[in-house]
Amino acid sequence: MHSITLLGRPGCHLCDDAREVIARVAGELGVPWEEVDIDSSAELREKYGEMIPVTLVDGTQHDFWRVSEDRLRAALA
């Protein structure tokens, strides 16, 4: 079973866009997903602060800045 994690922060318009794509794809495919605020961890903020939103599939970085719906679907197939 795959899982998706969205790393972002409140007030990020690109994060809002990514959330919509992830919620749609995950809902259609029955894949669980979670959202993590990078400001909750100094390590996440340091590693991903300039790249948000970051999408992880099964814990591995998949996309950043924008989420490609086609690429996400392919990764979950």
Side-chain angles (χ1 to χ4, degrees), residues 28-73:
E28 288 175 12
L29 300 179
V31 175
W33 74 281
E34 66 174 337
E35 187 169 353
V36 175
D37 181 348
I38 66 160
D39 291 326
S40 66
S41 161
E43 180 182 348
L44 289 176
R45 190 172 45 251
E46 183 177 318
K47 186 172 183 177
Y48 298 112
E50 300 298 319
M51 299 170 64
I52 62 167
V54 176
T55 306
L56 308 176
V57 173
D58 300 330
T60 302
Q61 185 177 330
H62 176 73
D63 268 328
F64 64 98
W65 293 335
R66 304 260 184 215
V67 177
S68 164
E69 185 169 339
D70 293 337
R71 276 182 32 85
L72 183 58
R73 287 181 184 280

Side-chain angles (χ1 to χ4, degrees), residues 4-45:
I4 304 167
T5 304
L6 172 62
L7 303 175
R9 66 169 46 106
C12 165
H13 72 280
L14 292 178
C15 299
D16 294 340
D17 295 345
R19 186 180 306 108
E20 287 181 26
V21 172
I22 291 169
R24 179 174 52 250
V25 172
E28 288 175 12
L29 300 179
V31 175
W33 74 281
E34 66 174 337
E35 187 169 353
V36 175
D37 181 348
I38 66 160
D39 291 326
S40 66
S41 161
E43 180 182 348
L44 289 176
R45 190 172 45 251

